[in-house]
Amino acid sequence: MPRTIWSGAITFGLVTVPINVVGASEDHSIHFHQYHLPDQGRVRYRKVCELEDREVPQDEIGKGYELTKTQVIPITDDDLANLPLPTAKAIEIDAFVPLESVDPIRIAEGYYLQPAGQVAAKPYKLLVKALSRSAKVAVAKYAWSGRERLGLLRVRDDVLVLHAMRWPDEIRDPTELLPPPTEVSEDEIAGALALMDTMTVDALEGPEFTDRYTEAIAQIIEAKREDKPLPAVEEPEQPAQVLDLMAALQESVSKAKASRGDAGPADVHELPRPKKKTATKKQPAKQTGAKKTAGRRPRSA
């Protein structure tokens, strides 16, 4: 079993559910250490006190807030564990909303919530059943690691999952990234939808959803361990400049169908021939869009 990250309770109304929080994901990537190249000696990071110029053990290290250059306010783990917040020891549900109303960009890492003992079994199951039947998710607040966070509670295989969420002011405004004004025809949209249909799958499983980067690193490590030649590097296909969008969609649909064993024709309409009147009418619109783009200031880093 994964280790417990945090223990507390879920509260909604007068209902309390004691829970333990455990990680919902695992890191299977390959990690590296730093070494001194001439002699393969391990390079480590040491914690050194700047005033005494010596390495200090972990039990002499604590947290602090630098009020001024000469004054530090020490903050202990007990201080953080006893914050004057209702969310310091509880995941406090504030509202229930439809999942589709939550922008996925606000959803971060996930954690499993485990009922803490027999006393938590019934209220835990009650919340699971209620969420499942309502087709809604809970929005809650909790305080971990020195800050209050927003969270999303949902059900996965009869287990409660807590997703960390970003606060609204943590999401940058994307409007400055919009492309220049342009037009897309209905046939081109239909072609894109046809391509999406050929690439639709029932589940995110299979060889196309594996970590090829980690596999490639493992091959290099194995080749070096056995003193064998490194694996050959596959030349990536260079993306061609798209001059005819409909032709590119047609070819993409055909390739996608062929890869799935469907050799049938691609259902994409031919690109309609542009009319001369269209170019004349759009000229003022292009000038207006250019002015708007030029007047937009880039966001500062």
Side-chain angles (χ1 to χ4, degrees):
M1 286 292 294
R3 69 179 182 87
T4 298
I5 299 172
W6 184 84
S7 294
I10 304 170
T11 64
F12 63 108
L14 298 178
V15 179
T16 299
V17 189
I19 50 96
N20 296 322
V21 178
V22 299
S25 59
E26 296 176 324
D27 182 8
H28 292 166
S29 58
I30 294 174
H31 299 276
F32 301 104
H33 296 304
Q34 290 189 324
Y35 286 88
H36 185 213
L37 291 177
D39 55 18
Q40 295 295 293
R42 179 77 181 273
V43 176
R44 299 178 184 270
Y45 293 101
R46 294 194 168 109
K47 298 179 180 180
V48 176
C49 173
E50 293 181 352
L51 296 179
E52 299 181 13
D53 195 22
R54 68 175 179 90
E55 186 176 355
V56 294
Q58 186 60 41
D59 59 3
E60 293 184 17
I61 299 175
K63 300 180 182 71
Y65 176 77
E66 185 180 282
L67 192 62
T68 66
K69 290 295 183 181
T70 58
Q71 186 180 9
V72 175
I73 307 298
I75 301 295
T76 67
D77 291 338
D78 287 341
D79 294 333
L80 297 176
N82 294 286
L83 288 172
L85 285 172
T87 54
K89 295 184 179 180
I91 299 171
E92 193 174 69
I93 295 177
D94 285 341
F96 295 89
V97 298
L99 178 58
E100 58 268 21
S101 70
V102 181
D103 191 331
I105 199 172
R106 294 186 60 183
I107 302 176
E109 65 275 4
Y111 305 90
Y112 289 136
L113 305 185
Q114 177 189 38
Q118 186 61 35
V119 68
K122 189 168 183 177
Y124 185 95
K125 190 168 185 178
L126 171 66
L127 183 54
V128 167
K129 293 295 184 184
L131 282 173
S132 299
R133 292 193 187 183
S134 71
K136 294 179 181 178
V137 295
V139 177
K141 294 191 186 81
Y142 62 98
W144 293 353
S145 304
R147 60 172 295 192
E148 188 173 55
R149 299 168 184 264
L150 198 62
L152 181 148
L153 273 171
R154 66 179 182 90
V155 177
R156 183 178 190 269
D157 297 333
D158 291 332
V159 174
L160 291 174
V161 181
L162 172 68
H163 288 278
M165 287 182 65
R166 296 174 179 88
W167 296 97
D169 62 352
E170 293 178 322
I171 305 300
R172 292 173 176 164
D173 184 0
T175 53
E176 65 188 49
L177 307 177
L178 290 172
T182 187
E183 295 294 331
V184 179
S185 71
E186 287 299 320
D187 282 346
E188 288 167 339
I189 296 173
L193 291 173
L195 177 57
M196 289 170 62
D197 286 341
T198 61
M199 298 176 67
T200 299
V201 296
D202 295 327
L204 300 180
E205 298 174 353
E208 62 266 41
F209 298 109
T210 57
D211 184 359
R212 293 182 298 175
Y213 181 87
T214 298
E215 291 178 354
I217 292 291
Q219 291 176 10
I220 291 176
I221 293 173
E222 185 65 17
K224 289 197 169 190
R225 185 178 72 85
E226 298 183 357
D227 199 21
K228 292 182 177 179
L230 297 181
V233 178
E234 297 182 8
E235 288 294 333
E237 293 185 7
Q238 296 297 325
Q241 185 177 1
V242 179
L243 300 177
D244 188 335
L245 190 55
M246 278 302 297
L249 288 168
Q250 181 91 34
E251 185 178 355
S252 299
V253 171
S254 299
K255 285 185 176 180
K257 285 189 172 184
S259 67
R260 296 176 182 274
D262 182 1
D267 299 327
V268 182
H269 298 291
E270 293 295 329
L271 179 67
R273 293 181 179 179
K275 298 177 181 180
K276 292 182 179 179
K277 292 181 180 180
T278 306
T280 305
K281 288 182 179 180
K282 288 183 182 177
Q283 190 63 30
K286 288 183 179 179
Q287 292 175 354
T288 304
K291 289 180 181 178
K292 288 183 179 178
T293 306
R296 187 183 295 129
R297 282 178 167 270
R299 190 190 190 100
S300 57

